[in-house]
Amino acid sequence: MELDDTRVAILDASGHLLIQGGPGSGKTTIALLKAARILATLESEQRVLFLSFSRAAVRQIGDRVAEHLPRATRDHLEVRTFHAFFLDFVRAHGPLLTGTPAVFLPPDAENQHKADHNGDWEAETECLARRGIYVFDQLAATAATVLERSPALRHLYSDRYPLIIVDEFQDTNVDQWRVIQALAENSTVICLADPDQRIYEGFVKGVDEERLQHAIKTLTPTPFDLTGDNHRSAGNGILDYANAVMRNEPALPPPAIQYVYYSYPYSPEQVTHYAVLQLQNQLSTQLGRQPTIAVLAPSSAFVARISEAIATDQTLNGKTLPAADHELVWDPGLSAAAGYVVASILEWPALPRIEAITATLRSVADFYRVKFAGKPAESTRSTIAATERAITTFATGKTLRTKTGKTIVDAYDAGLQLTGNPVTDWQLARSRLRGSNELTEVFGKARLLRLLHATDSLAWGLNDIWDGAGAYPAAADAVRRILADELVAGRPAEPHPVTLMNMHKSKGKEFDAVVIVEAQHNAKLLDSGWDAKRVVRQRRVLRVAITRARYRVIFVRPRNAFPLVRVDVPRK
């Protein structure tokens, strides 16, 4: 990066800074160069803290650290997610508020609790926090309260972190902003922001469209504007077109952006499959390496349908489309709940029959509590109710009638010979989850645990509790501890060549190409305009999705789709 006058001024400025710029404007890079100057002056115990929202963003920032920071100073930069930082803080200092050790409820446990709670869930989480039991949404609030009440802790943390860089500042909620304000008394804060990427307003509680104004009023930072710069997709028109979509301005797509329209008998899944394979071939030749491609859609359910389709061979116009290897960004909390079912089976040889079978059935019920959390319709609770009835029936010695219950009993009675090899034993226990639709779903979600990249941690954890005689006592507790840590602060994974996710999850990520897919009857990119505020938010999300790409964007849309800009391309 060439250091123009603005960037030289950023490096030379003192005090709090507010750096605004669009996707690829170089906000992160100049912040790291600013950090490099500070790192060289720190004491051995001091660090620069870089806070971001996702593990993917943390990984990408880590990649840039290797490019811009001398090796000798890299260990003095902590790049962390907000949640990971707040979790460690609350575990260490939460007892100052309650007098009891802090207990964290991971997302799966929170959803189980939520599924059984009929009142005001927010009030319930506040009540739990007063008892020292914390869910995700209470971590920032608790950290803020402790810092606000304790000048000594504010000084301690500011001494540890004299410089704090806040990524995606416009998306901080009210409690995250409270923490930043508390630390800003003695630490220098650099806010990196793009108001046009504010996609969580109205979606995440506490995100405020006035956040930048709050920072200007409270911190009085020196402002810098990099809005006109674009280092991600420079010269190919992607950013300009994305801005036109966001503002609903007249525009024709540049060559880097292509529309593909489908209609019966073709499906969006087939066309997406073809687009991914074509992009892989074209960009491999153009770039001389394997490209990274993201498939983005408005809803996670639609993304899952696309994933299932492209995971197998398909036929389009008489040609076979070979299965596309890909990674699905999924619900890790639900997969963790499936992992607890597997762990309960690993305990079978060490437990009496009634206790072992009951524990596994209860884990299955808990899995569906996680799945159906926040869905009050009685029809969604039928699986939970049926499994609970099976537990009661089994405990009284009566004959089980549910297929799930019968399958678990038969699997236990058939015996389980474990070897002490955690990997093969896990696979053996998981294989018992067959025989009913409910168990097959648990099996599928348990297989996705590999995406959490916790396999090494699970193997070591299970190895430690192997009793040497055929069982893993307390396996469920061990797996719960390991996955809880991985869900919050696990290692960021290397990007897969093809990644599928909903458009919101793409924020903070970069790919060589992006395929944005719209369904025919639901999962629309844009509503027809009945709710103006909703359409504005959808257009912001679309801008984020489009600007994830460096070189190519393909839209896969139904032929009758609502135009994204006032001048749309002909339906070919």
Side-chain angles (χ1 to χ4, degrees):
M1 175 183 292
E2 293 184 9
L3 296 181
D4 55 16
D5 291 344
T6 300
R7 286 172 172 78
V8 170
I10 290 173
L11 294 179
D12 292 340
S14 59
H16 305 311
L17 307 182
L18 172 59
I19 305 175
Q20 297 189 62
S25 61
K27 301 186 299 294
T28 300
T29 299
I30 194 61
L32 289 174
L33 294 176
K34 178 80 171 176
R37 289 193 174 187
I38 304 298
L39 290 170
T41 69
L42 298 182
E43 301 293 336
S44 60
E45 73 281 0
Q46 290 183 309
R47 302 289 186 270
V48 169
L49 178 63
F50 198 124
L51 292 174
S52 193
F53 280 94
S54 70
R55 283 189 282 179
V58 166
R59 180 195 58 75
Q60 290 187 343
I61 294 165
D63 291 343
R64 295 178 189 177
V65 166
E67 296 176 19
H68 300 294
L69 267 62
R71 184 177 299 277
T73 62
R74 291 175 196 169
D75 289 343
H76 288 268
L77 176 69
E78 285 188 23
V79 185
R80 310 193 68 188
T81 65
F82 281 96
H83 276 127
F85 178 73
F86 293 148
L87 176 60
D88 284 348
F89 184 96
V90 171
R91 280 174 169 168
H93 308 296
L96 292 174
L97 294 176
T98 64
T100 60
V103 176
F104 172 63
L105 284 183
D108 63 288
E110 176 186 351
N111 284 334
Q112 290 173 25
H113 193 130
K114 186 176 182 179
D116 291 332
H117 184 75
N118 294 320
D120 185 330
W121 178 243
E122 184 178 349
E124 174 67 8
T125 63
E126 292 172 355
C127 180
L128 289 171
R130 288 192 291 271
R131 293 159 44 199
I133 303 172
Y134 303 98
V135 300
F136 259 122
D137 289 343
Q138 286 297 327
L139 293 176
T142 302
T145 299
V146 173
L147 285 168
E148 289 167 349
R149 295 183 183 181
S150 175
L153 271 181
R154 292 200 297 274
H155 281 283
L156 177 66
Y157 272 78
S158 289
D159 184 59
R160 171 75 169 179
Y161 304 112
L163 175 63
I164 300 172
I165 303 170
V166 184
D167 195 22
E168 304 286 3
F169 176 78
Q170 75 280 347
D171 282 331
T172 52
N173 65 27
V174 63
D175 294 317
Q176 292 161 345
W177 169 230
R178 289 169 59 202
V179 170
I180 294 164
Q181 289 182 86
L183 294 175
E185 287 186 9
N186 299 292
S187 296
T188 298
V189 174
I190 298 177
C191 302
L192 310 180
D194 178 3
D196 290 333
Q197 290 197 65
R198 194 177 65 248
I199 64 174
Y200 295 114
E201 179 189 332
F203 183 72
V204 175
K205 184 179 178 182
V207 175
D208 192 329
E209 65 179 358
E210 298 296 324
R211 184 69 66 226
L212 294 185
Q213 294 305 313
H214 297 159
I216 292 169
K217 180 179 179 180
T218 305
L219 304 180
T220 60
T222 303
F224 294 94
D225 190 353
L226 305 179
T227 302
D229 296 345
N230 174 21
H231 301 283
R232 178 178 301 164
S233 56
N236 60 22
I238 289 176
L239 178 57
D240 290 339
Y241 190 77
N243 287 334
V245 170
M246 181 184 67
R247 298 165 186 155
N248 193 22
E249 295 175 345
L252 287 172
I257 295 180
Q258 176 186 0
Y259 279 80
V260 179
Y261 291 96
Y262 65 86
S263 59
Y264 182 82
Y266 303 112
S267 71
E269 293 87 351
Q270 288 175 310
V271 178
T272 300
H273 196 161
Y274 178 79
V276 167
L277 296 177
Q278 287 294 101
L279 282 172
Q280 285 182 317
N281 290 334
Q282 294 169 3
L283 289 176
S284 294
T285 301
Q286 176 184 337
L287 303 177
R289 58 172 171 80
Q290 186 177 54
T292 57
I293 300 170
V295 176
L296 310 178
S299 75
S300 295
F302 186 33
V303 170
R305 279 167 41 198
I306 297 170
S307 174
E308 291 177 4
I310 71 173
T312 59
D313 292 353
Q314 294 192 84
T315 301
L316 183 65
N317 289 333
K319 295 182 179 180
T320 299
L321 305 178
D325 182 32
H326 66 278
E327 178 179 67
L328 173 67
V329 177
W330 84 125
D331 179 359
L334 191 57
S335 289
Y340 306 147
V341 180
V342 178
S344 74
I345 295 173
L346 291 173
E347 296 183 6
W348 279 1
L351 296 176
R353 181 174 182 269
I354 292 179
E355 184 178 346
I357 293 172
T358 299
T360 297
L361 289 174
R362 188 169 290 115
S363 295
V364 172
D366 287 344
F367 170 88
Y368 283 97
R369 285 191 175 90
V370 173
K371 178 180 178 180
F372 296 135
K375 299 178 182 178
E378 289 302 320
S379 60
T380 64
R381 306 297 183 92
S382 60
T383 301
I384 300 172
T387 307
E388 294 286 3
R389 286 195 298 271
I391 293 171
T392 303
T393 299
F394 180 72
T396 58
K398 297 179 182 178
T399 302
L400 289 174
R401 298 186 180 278
T402 67
K403 199 167 185 180
T404 295
K406 290 178 181 179
T407 300
I408 293 297
V409 170
D410 290 345
Y412 179 90
D413 290 341
L416 185 67
Q417 299 296 320
L418 302 177
T419 65
N421 182 318
V423 175
T424 56
D425 288 344
W426 180 273
Q427 294 169 344
L428 181 62
R430 190 180 63 196
S431 70
R432 297 299 189 266
L433 298 174
R434 298 292 181 87
S436 73
N437 291 336
E438 292 78 15
L439 292 179
T440 298
E441 182 174 8
V442 176
F443 175 87
K445 292 298 186 292
R447 290 185 64 186
L448 291 176
L449 276 176
R450 70 187 187 280
L451 302 182
L452 200 56
H453 302 276
T455 49
D456 290 343
S457 300
L458 285 172
W460 283 108
L462 291 172
N463 187 69
D464 288 343
I465 62 173
W466 171 250
D467 65 2
Y472 296 87
D477 289 340
V479 170
R480 190 176 299 275
R481 287 194 302 272
I482 293 165
L483 293 184
D485 286 342
E486 292 291 335
L487 284 170
V488 178
R491 302 179 306 280
E494 289 297 315
H496 195 279
V498 179
T499 306
L500 276 63
M501 70 191 80
N502 70 45
M503 294 194 299
H504 274 88
K505 290 184 182 295
S506 72
K507 187 173 180 181
K509 303 174 178 66
E510 295 181 20
F511 306 91
D512 293 319
V514 167
V515 182
I516 301 174
V517 192
E518 180 175 6
Q520 177 70 57
H521 300 296
N522 50 33
K524 296 287 187 181
L525 296 182
L526 283 180
D527 292 325
S528 57
W530 61 271
D531 184 337
K533 288 185 177 180
R534 177 179 173 84
V535 173
V536 168
R537 289 197 294 268
Q538 288 175 322
R539 288 189 177 280
R540 284 201 196 115
V541 173
L542 270 170
R543 178 180 182 265
V544 168
I546 296 168
T547 56
R548 300 310 92 197
R550 300 185 187 96
Y551 304 104
R552 293 284 304 279
V553 177
I554 294 179
F555 284 95
V556 176
R557 308 193 71 198
R559 190 167 295 277
N560 61 350
F562 188 79
L564 300 184
V565 293
R566 282 188 240 161
V567 179
D568 211 350
V569 294
R571 271 64 166 161
K572 295 181 179 179

